[in-house]
Amino acid sequence: MRIGLVGTGRIGGFHAGVLARHPEVQGLVLADADGERAARVAGALGAEAAPTVEALFGHALDAVVIASATAAHAELIGRAAAAGLPAFCEKPIALDVPGTLAALDAVAAAGTELQLGFMRRFDAGYRAAREALGSGRLGRLHTVRTVTSDPAPPPAAYLPLSGGLFRDCMVHDFDILRWVTGREVVEVYAAGSDAGPAMFRAAGDMDTAAALLTLDDGTLVTATATRCNGAGYDVRMELAGERAQLAVGMDERTPLESVEPQGPPPPGKPWTGFLERFAPAYEAELDAFVGLVRGERANPCDGREALAALRVAEACERSRRERRPVRLDEVPSSAAG
């Protein structure tokens, strides 16, 4: 199998390493808007480097992995579809619903596959929580809490291009919430703060946000996120039911310290970032994509899942801006609205 990969930055470089080691991938061609970077990464992995992104599509490929800048995702998805190639794309498809719908229409028209990079679906803890909830072990689920805390803000230049905290960061919480519970969000009420570093105010973004979500069965969800968690990288989910409670992301590396006299000791080596915390999940999602391309697996996370998570993020942004609850049916789900 020959795979082309577009984008050799931090996550693209990681994906390239995973694919270079995969036993079913015999050829790997890398491209980047920065051709020199693509050549360096390719050289380190023994892969090929295309001089441009356009040249990459001239190679004989079986599939494409898209890990480029967000603004290029939708166009590259369309290009892969037009070439008849299955594609894996890092989230998001696009930063707005119309752009997302246009890319999904291109995939549907071509009859190709599009798998989205929501890696938490492949994490052992989240998978165990989904199975436990589905088995009835928790009884009726009444409360869910999610936490996503980055240890340090991204570069200032990234913020205006990111789509904001809800679309760029908390969209992972919205996706995994739907996947673990099997439920849909029907209403949100969200708020945000830009009281941290000045670069967030300059970009019109937030460094911290919180949302109250209501699911279609009445379950209440609190979702919080921050870019300024100096204690370390912290991603958790708590599920509380009438019979039991479960937590995902609680281990000896969780950057959370108890002040109780008999509490657990402080973490000795807190998680430093998403690539360290979710490395096995990233590898598993690409293995699933290879299986999809080979016709051995169904698509574990198609583009419509990205649209559903984006609509929740859009509703949260509207709620924050307008200071009111927003129902999901206020956010378009199709070109017709």
Side-chain angles (χ1 to χ4, degrees):
M1 180 186 300
R2 285 175 57 81
I3 293 182
L5 183 146
V6 182
T8 54
R10 180 166 55 165
I11 188 62
F14 183 90
H15 286 334
V18 172
L19 292 169
R21 297 189 300 270
H22 199 287
E24 299 296 340
V25 178
Q26 286 77 46
L28 180 62
V29 184
L30 310 183
D32 195 292
D34 182 345
E36 292 184 0
R37 181 168 67 179
R40 288 196 302 271
V41 175
L45 296 173
E48 299 177 56
T52 65
V53 173
E54 290 73 18
L56 177 136
F57 283 92
H59 286 253
L61 302 174
D62 297 298
V64 175
V65 171
I66 299 167
S68 62
T70 294
H73 286 186
E75 189 270 335
L76 289 168
I77 289 169
R79 183 176 292 187
L85 295 173
F88 173 96
C89 184
E90 277 298 327
K91 63 82 191 165
I93 292 174
L95 290 177
D96 57 23
V97 172
T100 300
L101 290 170
L104 292 178
D105 286 346
V107 171
T112 54
E113 293 280 3
L114 172 62
Q115 180 182 329
L116 262 292
F118 283 116
M119 77 292 185
R120 294 187 194 180
R121 294 182 176 217
F122 296 86
D123 177 73
Y126 285 107
R127 296 180 77 87
R130 185 175 191 247
E131 292 168 5
L133 183 60
S135 73
R137 176 180 163 193
L138 276 67
R140 181 184 69 86
L141 184 68
H142 52 74
T143 308
V144 180
R145 306 174 189 92
T146 71
V147 174
T148 294
S149 300
D150 289 333
Y158 174 78
L159 294 177
L161 308 175
S162 72
L165 191 59
F166 292 122
R167 299 184 190 92
D168 179 57
C169 179
M170 294 179 75
V171 72
H172 279 291
D173 297 292
F174 304 148
D175 175 73
I176 202 63
L177 172 67
R178 296 180 59 251
W179 187 76
V180 168
T181 66
R183 294 291 181 175
E184 298 294 342
V185 177
V186 295
E187 186 177 80
V188 309
Y189 188 76
S193 169
D194 61 4
M199 65 181 183
F200 288 96
R201 293 185 289 281
D205 197 3
M206 309 161 288
D207 59 81
T208 303
L212 172 64
L213 317 175
T214 303
L215 304 188
D216 56 13
D217 64 347
T219 300
L220 296 179
V221 182
T222 58
T224 64
T226 185
R227 302 284 199 184
C228 304
N229 193 58
Y233 183 71
D234 187 7
V235 171
R236 284 177 282 123
M237 171 183 270
E238 299 174 12
L239 299 107
E242 291 183 333
R243 296 178 185 168
Q245 294 189 94
L246 295 177
V248 179
M250 288 291 292
D251 59 27
E252 70 278 2
R253 300 191 64 182
T254 303
L256 184 66
E257 186 174 350
S258 173
V259 296
E260 298 297 333
Q262 304 303 318
K269 187 181 178 184
W271 295 109
T272 59
F274 63 90
L275 281 178
E276 184 186 29
R277 165 68 176 84
F278 288 109
Y282 280 116
E283 294 196 23
E285 70 176 358
L286 284 179
D287 183 63
F289 179 62
V290 170
L292 173 65
V293 175
R294 288 170 55 85
E296 298 169 350
R297 294 189 59 165
N299 194 332
C301 186
D302 70 21
R304 290 167 294 185
E305 301 296 301
L307 174 62
L310 176 63
R311 291 181 66 235
V312 180
E314 291 279 344
C316 285
E317 181 56 38
R318 184 178 299 185
S319 174
R320 180 194 71 85
R321 187 174 62 248
E322 299 179 6
R323 296 177 178 269
R324 68 176 180 87
V326 173
R327 292 192 58 81
L328 262 289
D329 56 19
E330 297 181 48
V331 181
S333 59
S334 66

